[in-house]
Amino acid sequence: MKAAVLYEVRQPLKIEDLHVPDVDDEGVLIKVASCGVCHTDLKVIEGRNRFTPPTVLGHEVAGTVEQIGARCGDFKVGDRVIIGMRYKCGRCRYCLSARENLCERRPAPPTLKKIDGTEVTRWNVGGFAEYVSVPGYLAFKIPEGIPMEEASVVGCRVTTAYNAVKHRGRLEPGDSALVIGCGGIGLNTVQFLKCFGAYPIIAVDIVDEKLEAAKQFGATHTINASVEDPVKAVIKLTDGGVDKAFEAIGNPKTSDQIIQATRPGGTATIIGGLGNGPFTISSGRFVTSEITITGVSSRQANDVDEVFQMAKLGRIELKSLITKSYRFDQINEALADLEHGKLRMAVSLWNRQSD
């Protein structure tokens, strides 16, 4: 099979031939149709997230079940599925309390092999490939009527935003809300805020085109942070700050800004991964103001099916999130376009050509 392999930080991925992975008794082999190109993949390439080279990136997988393990009775060959969770140990206190996204003993996925026998690791599930083998619990059936390309992004960026708004931010109808960063995660956060009844919904970015997109997805107010201080603007607009603030970039400066723009008793939710580096909060006001600061780790298992149902009912938009589809051999072009802010969201196509 073809797969995109990363050998070094900040180097292009190489399309190479690998063996199709084996399937264990409780697993499924997925013939990949579409795999989202996510900022998390970029962070690995930039060296912000650790990896063991050579490795295959990609985690927003949609495809069809090609083979089923002997003890995997939940699927049949031909089922359309996404990969909607991460590996779990199944035994730690988090797995046993239905919070598998916080698994503290998460196993590494089985390695792949090149034709010459060289071992290749998988970062997350290794979705930039023609085939992916995973345990059955990672796969979720795609409802009828939702195309593969749209379904693939549900596996990470859409459901992560849902987790942020519903579980971590605990949004209540009528809460005022702020979102800094209007990429894929940010736009999804905006549309879930609209679904759950937030008002006003303030979107912040430095690119006017992204702010216009935020309006399409439900933002009631926008602020260009290259023109005015977003914290001062939000406090003035809301007479003291928002009830719920969300950071969707993974930047220490903007993560501090959402805390400073949250009103007393509110919640500041950092969705973007900050990595292991230091993070400074510029004011200790959040202590006496009883502001809750929280983070987000992917999604909870029930989130995937709930988001699919919202999509089927037309409560959320998927199609217009995707700016462009790329053939698998254009994967480096897709990553470059993502890095330079040319895309809302993008997908790479495997086992078929783009239209």
Side-chain angles (χ1 to χ4, degrees), residues 85-313:
M85 288 298 291
R86 299 166 66 191
Y87 279 81
K88 64 179 181 179
C89 73
R91 299 181 301 277
C92 71
R93 57 182 172 173
Y94 299 109
C95 289
L96 294 175
S97 60
R99 299 195 69 183
E100 301 98 328
N101 57 321
L102 300 181
C103 176
E104 59 186 1
R105 294 196 293 268
R106 196 180 309 281
T111 57
L112 302 168
K113 282 191 177 182
K114 292 173 60 175
I115 301 302
D116 65 7
T118 303
E119 284 202 343
V120 177
T121 66
R122 293 193 287 163
W123 199 92
N124 201 310
V125 298
F128 291 159
E130 291 185 303
Y131 292 90
V132 173
S133 177
V134 294
Y137 66 78
L138 267 70
F140 293 77
K141 293 179 183 177
I142 302 170
E144 290 298 321
I146 299 181
M148 290 279 201
E149 292 177 32
E150 296 173 25
S152 63
V153 297
V154 170
C156 177
R157 285 169 284 184
V158 181
T159 43
T160 298
Y162 182 78
N163 182 15
V165 174
K166 181 181 179 181
H167 303 299
R168 307 312 305 149
R170 297 185 179 181
L171 188 93
E172 297 289 341
D175 278 348
S176 55
L178 163 68
V179 179
I180 296 185
C182 297
I185 289 281
L187 292 179
N188 279 294
T189 302
V190 166
Q191 69 170 336
F192 285 122
L193 288 169
K194 179 183 177 182
C195 284
F196 295 157
Y199 185 87
I201 301 170
I202 307 166
V204 175
D205 206 289
I206 58 173
V207 179
D208 285 333
E209 184 180 355
K210 291 186 176 182
L211 293 173
E212 286 300 314
K215 289 180 183 177
Q216 296 172 25
F217 282 88
T220 60
H221 300 75
T222 58
I223 296 168
N224 189 318
S226 67
V227 177
E228 57 183 324
D229 184 309
V231 175
K232 291 180 179 178
V234 168
I235 290 174
K236 180 178 180 181
L237 180 63
T238 58
D239 191 25
V242 293
D243 297 301
K244 305 294 168 63
F246 300 86
E247 197 275 354
I249 301 171
N251 181 283
K253 179 179 179 180
T254 48
S255 295
D256 177 54
Q257 287 175 335
I258 66 163
I259 298 167
Q260 307 313 319
T262 299
R263 72 169 68 249
T267 300
T269 302
I270 301 170
I271 312 173
L274 290 175
N276 297 322
F279 167 49
T280 302
I281 300 175
S282 60
S283 169
R285 179 187 68 89
F286 76 93
V287 176
T288 53
S289 295
E290 295 190 352
I291 292 171
T292 299
I293 303 171
T294 188
V296 179
S297 178
S298 62
R299 65 219 61 86
Q300 298 181 18
N302 289 341
D303 294 346
V304 180
D305 288 328
E306 289 175 11
V307 167
F308 270 144
Q309 289 307 310
M310 292 178 77
K312 281 208 69 172
L313 293 170

Side-chain angles (χ1 to χ4, degrees), residues 30 32-36 58-63 81-83 125-128 132 151-152:
I30 300 170
V32 179
S34 175
C35 186
H59 52 280
E60 291 184 335
V61 172
V81 297
I82 67 165
I83 296 176
V125 298
F128 291 159
V132 173
S152 63

Side-chain angles (χ1 to χ4, degrees), residues 62-81:
T64 54
V65 174
E66 186 87 351
Q67 186 180 338
I68 304 167
R71 295 199 301 271
C72 183
D74 297 329
F75 302 97
K76 64 180 185 299
V77 172
D79 279 346
R80 301 186 321 135
V81 297

